[in-house]
Amino acid sequence: MPELDHATDPADAADATGTTEATGATAPVGSVDPVMLQTHRPHPARIYDYWLGGKDNFPPDRAAAEHAIAAAPDIPQAARENRAFLRRAVRHCVDAGVRQFIDIGSGLPARGNVHEVAQELAPDARVVYIDNDPIVLAHGRALLADNHSTTVLTGDLRDLDELLDRPALRELIDLSRPVAVLLVAVLHFLDDDQAAAAVRAVHERLAPGSYLLLSHSTAEGNPQRAAEVAKTWDDTDTHIRLRGRAEVEAFLAGWEPVEPGVDFVPLWRPDGSTAGSTRWMYAGVGRKV
């Protein structure tokens, strides 16, 4: 379930707040090739946007999102908890001295984006968002027009080496220094080989002192409902691969785990009560030594 908040590429953002009469979605559709949007089928970023209360989604996205809610009414809460984990993990990295962030599968704009959290604590922090949804990209260009230390790129986690070598990314990110890479609610959209290759490439390319921040959907907290909820992504390009704690821990092999290691998202360094919290996702943070 990606999530976003900035963008950079498709065409121009001159029409960045247009509303489509056909769908009722408020989105920068005027700046995006309609064919690229694929509004006839749901997209993970737009499903997630719906759960977070956003308006940048289309009827197929809403139908898929509502399917999950019908099976598990606490799914929107899980999406909010995932955003809260992102904010806590980013703050941890800033406190550890990291000033560079790459958020892959960043999704549509939501309150408390990486650049907002990091730059509030460290104004010199630099952030690159990467997503494959054109709406995310168009929004990013509009939202970040005056922010010269943050940008959004179009790209895919399966092409990580190409992404890390892009001039637009390297203008902001110095890979010889520590970087925090966020793979928040994205690895579950890759098969086992692709996910392992992506995490391996992150580890190989980053400097010591860098961090990997990840969250991942699981069936272990809700075994009776998980199979039905997983059907939410049947009509997307990605589908979803639910993994258990041991499999998520394996992604952090070779990284020094940050306490408490891998745990359910709301339980990873909570800053408030966890009563009534969900058990739909695992989270973990690792440091490269």
Side-chain angles (χ1 to χ4, degrees), residues 203-221:
H203 190 272
E204 290 173 352
R205 295 295 302 273
L206 298 190
S210 294
Y211 285 82
L212 173 63
L213 288 56
L214 63 86
S215 63
H216 196 294
S217 294
T218 185
E220 289 185 342

Side-chain angles (χ1 to χ4, degrees), residues 1-269:
M1 320 168 198
E3 36 200 83
L4 200 337
D5 64 281
H6 19 291
T8 96
D9 276 37
D12 283 309
D15 261 329
T17 57
T19 299
T20 61
E21 294 182 4
T23 65
T26 301
V29 293
S31 63
V32 184
D33 181 349
V35 175
M36 295 174 60
L37 289 179
Q38 295 189 331
T39 58
H40 64 288
R41 67 189 309 175
H43 187 284
R46 301 193 299 257
I47 293 172
Y48 200 73
D49 174 69
Y50 182 85
W51 286 334
L52 290 172
K55 297 180 180 179
D56 301 303
N57 45 73
F58 300 91
D61 308 309
R62 296 192 282 274
E66 285 291 347
H67 174 87
I69 293 172
D74 57 349
I75 284 289
Q77 177 184 342
R80 294 190 297 270
E81 291 170 346
N82 188 56
R83 291 295 300 180
F85 157 72
L86 178 150
R87 295 190 290 270
R88 296 195 302 274
V90 168
R91 286 195 292 267
H92 172 83
C93 291
V94 173
D95 290 343
V98 176
R99 296 295 181 268
Q100 305 184 108
F101 295 83
I102 303 173
D103 185 359
I104 304 177
S106 50
L108 282 155
R111 185 177 303 173
N113 296 305
V114 174
H115 73 282
E116 294 170 333
V117 176
Q119 291 168 4
E120 180 180 7
L121 298 173
D124 59 333
R126 299 182 298 281
V127 180
V128 173
Y129 295 102
I130 299 171
D131 202 278
N132 63 3
D133 185 345
I135 285 184
V136 167
L137 302 174
H139 266 301
R141 171 168 288 185
L143 290 172
L144 298 173
D146 297 323
N147 187 327
H148 302 297
S149 58
T150 305
T151 192
V152 183
L153 305 176
T154 178
D156 193 291
L157 178 57
R158 290 165 291 192
D159 298 318
L160 187 65
D161 281 322
E162 184 271 332
L163 289 172
L164 294 180
D165 288 331
R166 285 220 198 141
L169 182 144
R170 300 301 286 270
E171 286 177 8
L172 288 179
I173 304 297
D174 178 0
L175 294 179
S176 70
R177 301 181 62 82
V179 181
V181 171
L182 290 85
L183 301 181
V184 174
V186 66
L187 287 174
H188 49 222
F189 295 120
L190 302 183
D191 66 31
D192 292 345
D193 290 341
Q194 292 168 339
V199 173
R200 185 167 57 249
V202 170
H203 190 272
E204 290 173 352
R205 295 295 302 273
L206 298 190
S210 294
Y211 285 82
L212 173 63
L213 288 56
L214 63 86
S215 63
H216 196 294
S217 294
T218 185
E220 289 185 342
N222 299 276
Q224 285 76 38
R225 296 184 290 168
E228 189 63 31
V229 171
K231 294 178 183 178
T232 300
W233 292 272
D234 280 357
D235 293 329
T236 68
D237 284 334
T238 58
H239 304 288
I240 194 167
R241 166 78 163 85
L242 304 178
R243 295 183 172 96
R245 183 193 296 262
E247 293 171 291
V248 177
E249 289 174 338
F251 289 133
L252 291 174
W255 302 80
E256 179 182 75
V258 173
E259 291 295 330
V262 172
D263 207 338
F264 288 114
V265 160
L267 305 183
W268 195 91
R269 298 198 168 195

